[in-house]
Amino acid sequence: MSFDHNSALQLLRVGTGNRHAVFREGQDDAIRQIVDGPVRLLLVQRTGWGKSFVYFIGTKLLRQQGHGPALLVSPLLSLMRNQLKAAEAMGVQAVTINSDNQDDWEDIESRIKRDEVDILLISPERFSNHRFQSTVMGTIATRASMLVVDEAHCISDWGHDFRPHYRMLTRIISGLPQNIRLLATTATANRRVMEDLEQQLGPDLIVSQGPLHRPSLALQTIRLPGQAERLAWLAEHLDAVNGSGIVYTLTVRDAVRVADWLQSQGLRVEAYTGQTGDRRPELEDALLRNELKALIATTALGMGFDKPDLAFVVHYQAPGSVVAYYQQVGRAGRGIDKAHGVLLSGTEETEISEFFIESAFPTRDEVAQVIAALKEEPDGLSVPKLMGYVNLSRGRVDKALLLLSLESPAPVVKDGRVWQLTATDLSEGFWERAERLTTLRREELAQMQEYVGLADGHMEYLIDALDGDTTGIDEGDLPLLPTTVREELVIAATEFLNRTTLPIEPRKQWVTGGLHKYNVKGKIAATERFEEGRALCYWGDAGWGRRVKQGKYQDERFSDELVKACACMFNNWTPEPMPEWVTCVPSLRRPGLVPDFARRLADALLLPFHIVLERTDERPEQKEMQNSVQQARNVDGAIRACNGMVQAGPVLLVDDMVDSRWTLTVCGWLLRTNGAGPVYPLVLADASRG
């Protein structure tokens, strides 16, 4: 049977809920090629074009003709709720298998065996799951009519959003039967990425590429170096834009901070990050219904979210590449004539992007540590046990193991909960690829900074970066938003940044294996641990963070301003029972820095100051220890209580920085077991990587 245009059009109208809907240019032709296949088709179409309608309508028509189910691989399953509703309206039986619906797996697997599923949606990570491979792929592989690879640029390591697990797809694609249809879709692929995809997706690939110009978007860049200026700009100008939108930040911390600030200024906004959890659908729906002015989001709200009347996308910091920026700003103005795309550029963005670039691949030393540890234990190590062998953070260990395991052949494999070495050595090609991609990411960052400096021609620059056609590009007639901010709002934003305080939660368990020199292990008794404490700021951050850093490494003395700020924080905190005296964490490296600050703080609080703890020997700084096990061992036996010096009664324990909390945990334990009352940590800066 051949493609039936009328049937396809009827499905489109049912799926959109619009009985007058018509196909966008190229949509019906793409569906026809799928139905009349077999074909290998790469769709490169801008965000909002309707790529999901191509594969859902194509699947429905194929199923009506008696073909097997389709398999859709996408990194966006949690953001495909709108598309799944459209599929359901068209009568497409779409299901997903993921880590969040394990209770449904058996039922879904049974439905697949009974041929009751039209399209199965999975993330690329699912291919590394042994149960999925044996139970599902064994059933569906021989009957599947089509493999859909959504966000196909993730396959290419030249792409701005390369996902390591997508590398497994190239092996799967190479083993596909010749009669299976392959549809790959993306909105962002420059010439280099497309050439790579043509190689990896197999021979006879047909490429369908649409125009990249977004005439509805008015783009502009505004340099506002400090966070206070950008917070003030958002508070002053966001509400003046008709409609709702998205404000993107580079970090979870900034998303929460910007949301808190705008809420304090009366704007209806919410933070949306990878930590939002079960509230994601609720917040997405609130924005879709225009009940919120904006979601303040990380890239957790990215590909897959569809709101045609989105009136603006503002970036609080510049992202790492113009390709990523094009995709994110392209969420605005899909279904309306005019929308704003504003990039606010700040001083911290380059440092953040450099961190992401540097941490994308493990270093040779990190890989060497992991492999050496596994060599010591031929039966394998779980990640928690591996942490005791290496001076690496949990994130770095996880990343190293993941990337090594995705090599072909792989030098490490996972067996249950443990990782083991194989007989294969890691090839030099791994390091060549890492170096090549690190260089590429730095080039992309430089290109992004060039975009920030443009006075005009923003859309033309983005399209040229994507190797698109720049002829006939105009900037539109929507007036640009003001670039100035009111001084009183900047002052208010500065005060807001300086008011931020952070809780310090007590550890309730000693590190696995305990601390041998202190002879402690297991649970930490409530009477032997510190109470919830407070940190004034994040290390090096906007507000007080930079002044703490300056005081420690440049001035070698913390300013009176910081003493006053901590006294104010303490008075607003009012712990109960109130501390009756003050002490501090000792140091041999800078013996006078913290005691000087703690003494001045005690004077401001009208409390006596006593030095009652001392260092036993010099140890590496805690910041050099990269995981909790190593940080705990580094402080084991390094501090002791001075004989007979510990005072009775509640105590304020002062330090300049907190990271793992093991130093505070040991000091709190020493104070409590030597007769002190409740211990309340007060720290200048939180330096944790979280």
Side-chain angles (χ1 to χ4, degrees), residues 160 318-326 353 441 444-445 447-448 462:
H160 74 281
S321 79
V322 294
V323 181
Y325 180 70
Y326 173 84
S353 292
R441 297 295 175 253
E444 291 173 341
L445 182 58
Q447 190 179 42
M448 187 74 245
L462 293 179

Side-chain angles (χ1 to χ4, degrees), residues 427-444:
S427 74
E428 192 60 29
F430 176 88
W431 300 112
E432 291 170 358
R433 185 168 66 252
E435 184 177 349
R436 171 171 60 84
L437 293 180
T438 300
T439 301
L440 173 64
R441 297 295 175 253
R442 290 220 163 86
E443 292 171 356
E444 291 173 341

Side-chain angles (χ1 to χ4, degrees), residues 175-459:
L176 289 175
Q178 288 300 309
N179 63 343
I180 196 171
R181 296 151 176 84
L182 172 66
L183 172 64
T185 71
T186 181
T188 49
N190 58 20
R191 187 177 299 112
R192 184 158 49 182
V193 172
M194 288 176 60
E195 289 172 355
D196 193 22
L197 289 176
E198 287 178 23
Q199 287 187 353
Q200 299 203 46
L201 296 178
D204 305 319
L205 183 71
I206 298 171
V207 179
S208 173
Q209 185 172 16
L212 297 173
H213 182 32
R214 297 293 305 276
S216 63
L217 275 179
L219 300 177
Q220 66 184 116
T221 53
I222 305 173
R223 286 189 187 272
L224 295 170
Q227 294 210 32
E229 290 92 336
R230 275 172 280 141
L231 291 175
W233 188 95
L234 291 169
E236 182 175 353
H237 300 300
L238 211 58
D239 212 28
V241 181
N242 291 327
S244 56
I246 300 171
V247 177
Y248 278 112
T249 66
L250 289 179
T251 68
V252 171
R253 183 185 302 169
D254 282 328
V256 173
R257 172 187 290 141
V258 172
D260 287 347
W261 158 252
L262 292 178
Q263 287 169 1
S264 76
Q265 297 300 300
L267 276 74
R268 289 182 55 81
V269 302
E270 293 282 352
Y272 184 109
T273 74
Q275 298 175 12
T276 301
D278 294 340
R279 291 197 67 210
R280 283 193 188 190
E282 169 196 340
L283 295 180
E284 290 169 29
D285 288 343
L287 186 62
L288 288 169
R289 294 192 298 266
N290 294 316
E291 294 171 0
L292 294 173
K293 184 64 182 179
L295 285 178
I296 316 302
T298 62
T299 53
L301 183 70
M303 304 175 290
F305 180 75
D306 185 21
K307 178 176 167 59
D309 63 340
L310 202 70
F312 60 85
V313 168
V314 177
H315 281 72
Y316 186 67
Q317 297 120 338
S321 79
V322 294
V323 181
Y325 180 70
Y326 173 84
Q327 185 170 63
Q328 291 165 13
V329 78
R331 318 228 148 267
R334 294 179 183 178
I336 54 179
D337 293 335
K338 296 178 181 180
H340 288 280
V342 183
L343 193 159
L344 305 178
S345 176
T347 54
E348 76 278 7
E349 63 198 24
T350 301
E351 183 180 348
I352 295 171
S353 292
E354 279 285 356
F355 170 78
F356 290 147
I357 292 170
E358 285 293 332
S359 60
F361 289 93
T363 65
R364 287 180 182 266
D365 176 66
E366 289 171 343
V367 169
Q369 286 191 54
V370 169
I371 289 178
L374 294 176
K375 278 183 179 177
E376 287 190 39
E377 298 291 342
D379 292 335
L381 289 167
S382 65
V383 172
K385 288 186 177 179
L386 182 56
M387 304 285 280
Y389 287 75
V390 299
N391 185 23
L392 302 173
S393 70
R394 174 66 184 257
R396 302 305 293 164
V397 170
D398 286 341
K399 174 152 284 186
L401 290 170
L402 169 63
L403 293 180
L404 294 180
S405 69
L406 292 174
E407 288 295 290
S408 181
V412 299
V413 293
K414 191 175 185 182
D415 183 11
R417 297 184 61 191
V418 303
W419 288 90
Q420 295 175 304
L421 288 180
T422 68
T424 302
D425 292 328
L426 182 62
S427 74
E428 192 60 29
F430 176 88
W431 300 112
E432 291 170 358
R433 185 168 66 252
E435 184 177 349
R436 171 171 60 84
L437 293 180
T438 300
T439 301
L440 173 64
R441 297 295 175 253
R442 290 220 163 86
E443 292 171 356
E444 291 173 341
L445 182 58
Q447 190 179 42
M448 187 74 245
Q449 289 303 311
E450 189 174 286
Y451 175 86
V452 167
L454 293 177
D456 52 31
H458 295 86
M459 181 60 73

Side-chain angles (χ1 to χ4, degrees), residues 600-615:
R600 286 183 287 140
L601 177 60
D603 290 344
L605 299 176
L606 303 178
L607 293 173
F609 173 68
H610 302 281
I611 293 178
V612 302
L613 299 172
E614 63 181 4
R615 285 274 177 176

Side-chain angles (χ1 to χ4, degrees), residues 413-550:
V413 293
K414 191 175 185 182
D415 183 11
R417 297 184 61 191
V418 303
W419 288 90
Q420 295 175 304
L421 288 180
T422 68
T424 302
D425 292 328
L426 182 62
S427 74
E428 192 60 29
F430 176 88
W431 300 112
E432 291 170 358
R433 185 168 66 252
E435 184 177 349
R436 171 171 60 84
L437 293 180
T438 300
T439 301
L440 173 64
R441 297 295 175 253
R442 290 220 163 86
E443 292 171 356
E444 291 173 341
L445 182 58
Q447 190 179 42
M448 187 74 245
Q449 289 303 311
E450 189 174 286
Y451 175 86
V452 167
L454 293 177
D456 52 31
H458 295 86
M459 181 60 73
E460 182 177 355
Y461 188 95
L462 293 179
I463 292 173
D464 184 62
L466 281 161
D467 297 318
D469 183 3
T470 60
T471 57
I473 302 296
D474 65 75
E475 296 295 309
D477 58 358
L478 182 65
L480 299 182
L481 295 175
T483 61
T484 57
V485 290
R486 298 203 314 267
E487 183 62 27
E488 60 267 31
L489 270 176
V490 176
I491 294 171
T494 302
E495 291 174 351
F496 167 82
L497 291 170
N498 288 340
R499 281 198 307 270
T500 304
T501 59
L502 310 164
I504 303 172
E505 298 292 336
R507 285 190 174 274
K508 299 178 182 180
Q509 189 91 14
W510 293 109
V511 70
T512 303
L515 299 182
H516 301 301
K517 292 183 180 179
Y518 288 128
N519 193 28
V520 292
K521 61 181 180 180
K523 290 184 178 179
I524 305 174
T527 55
E528 296 181 356
R529 60 182 182 235
F530 66 77
E531 309 299 315
E532 182 182 286
R534 291 289 185 274
L536 181 64
C537 62
Y538 286 112
W539 172 255
D541 212 346
W544 295 113
R546 290 190 178 91
R547 275 171 275 190
V548 175
K549 190 174 183 179
Q550 177 181 328

Side-chain angles (χ1 to χ4, degrees), residues 391-392 507 515 552-553 585-587 589-590 615 618-636 638-639 655-667 687-689:
N391 185 23
L392 302 173
R507 285 190 174 274
L515 299 182
K552 182 162 185 170
Y553 291 119
V585 174
S587 170
R589 191 170 286 102
R590 297 179 182 86
R615 285 274 177 176
E618 189 68 64
R619 302 282 179 90
E621 289 188 272
Q622 283 292 71
K623 67 181 182 181
E624 296 178 20
M625 301 295 106
Q626 299 300 312
N627 66 58
S628 182
V629 174
Q630 301 294 343
Q631 288 162 335
R633 291 176 180 172
N634 190 48
V635 77
D636 187 14
I639 303 171
D655 202 2
D656 57 352
M657 292 167 59
V658 59
D659 185 348
S660 66
R661 293 171 291 150
W662 281 120
T663 300
L664 291 179
T665 299
V666 165
C667 288
S688 63
R689 299 165 185 78

